Amino acid sequence: TANHSLLTDLMRHYEKPDEHPMPGEIISELCPFLDATGISDARSKVYVTARPIPELCFILVANTLGQVDKVEFNPNLSCLVSRKDVCFDAAAFATGMITVLKQFHSDVTGLFFGHLTQYVRAGICDYDHVDPKVREQQVLPARMIQLTAMVEMLGDMGNSDLSDLGRWIPPQLLGDMTQTRSAVVSSPTSKKRDRK
């Protein structure tokens, strides 16, 4: 009942902050206990409140695009793994990125996913202009496959469901990328390329 009453007081405060004050010092006293028991979720916690930073979205998108070449999709593990010459953890990167995005308004997250997926769509549309020999070896551009897997991981870390990702990546493309990813990586031409 204490949990229910505290949540009720918090909801009343957020609905009408002028009429209902914040429920005292209990929040600051309760947080260390929740952290110690592992009940709190670090990815959904807001650590700071900041004014909107218009350039933040572009900085995060550029950072993500810079990191995507450090990973490759492994069909056996069905996840992104670090390339052999680089030490990079895609899951830790995604967790950090989502934690930063949670500190700002949800519009920033929407813009972030919108720009990344626009990059994926543009890269796939531009793939028609690539040398035909390259297209014989790869059904889809490897960078776009890696970036789509990164977007899916970021969406998963941010507790977005697939319908949210369907807003940013067309559902047909998202489904095709998920199914095609393992076909591209396990195709005979990619196996020949891996042996070289």
Side-chain angles (χ1 to χ4, degrees):
T1 59
N3 186 25
H4 181 68
S5 65
L6 179 60
L7 289 175
T8 303
D9 288 346
L10 283 172
M11 295 304 285
R12 285 183 12 195
H13 168 71
Y14 286 115
E15 287 174 4
K16 296 180 181 178
D18 297 334
E19 295 177 18
H20 305 287
M22 185 67 118
E25 297 292 320
I26 188 135
I27 301 296
S28 60
E29 293 173 8
L30 191 59
C31 283
F33 292 109
L34 293 174
D35 291 340
T37 58
I39 294 174
S40 62
D41 182 11
R43 290 180 292 179
S44 64
K45 194 181 275 189
V46 176
Y47 294 98
V48 295
T49 54
R51 293 182 307 189
I53 304 172
E55 299 82 15
L56 176 72
C57 180
F58 297 108
I59 292 168
L60 296 178
V61 167
N63 186 14
T64 304
L65 291 175
Q67 304 305 316
V68 100
D69 290 327
K70 296 179 180 178
V71 295
E72 57 190 20
F73 184 77
N74 185 328
N76 297 331
L77 299 175
S78 191
C79 68
L80 291 172
V81 295
S82 176
R83 292 192 184 274
K84 293 178 183 177
D85 58 336
V86 179
C87 183
F88 180 77
D89 188 356
F93 175 78
T95 301
M97 190 65 67
I98 288 299
T99 303
V100 169
L101 285 168
K102 288 284 184 184
Q103 307 311 305
F104 295 93
H105 194 273
S106 60
D107 289 347
V108 176
T109 305
L111 280 171
F112 173 75
F113 280 111
H115 289 307
L116 282 180
T117 54
Q118 180 64 27
Y119 186 87
V120 170
R121 288 191 300 265
I124 289 176
C125 290
D126 190 50
Y127 199 56
D128 288 340
H129 299 87
V130 174
D131 184 22
K133 293 178 183 177
V134 173
R135 281 189 293 178
E136 287 177 11
Q137 294 178 353
Q138 296 179 342
V139 177
L140 295 169
R143 182 174 170 86
M144 299 309 125
I145 292 171
Q146 293 158 225
L147 188 56
T148 301
M150 182 73 81
V151 167
E152 287 183 51
M153 181 183 292
L154 287 163
D156 186 42
M157 294 283 183
N159 295 325
S160 299
D161 58 2
L162 275 176
S163 64
D164 285 344
L165 283 179
R167 267 192 337 199
W168 298 309
I169 296 178
Q172 300 84 4
L173 182 60
L174 185 64
D176 288 347
M177 291 294 267
T178 304
Q179 293 169 3
T180 310
R181 208 179 295 138
S182 40
V184 169
V185 177
S186 62
S187 70
T189 55
S190 67
K191 287 180 182 175
K192 288 177 190 174
R193 199 175 53 243
D194 291 344
R195 287 186 203 138
K196 291 180 180 178

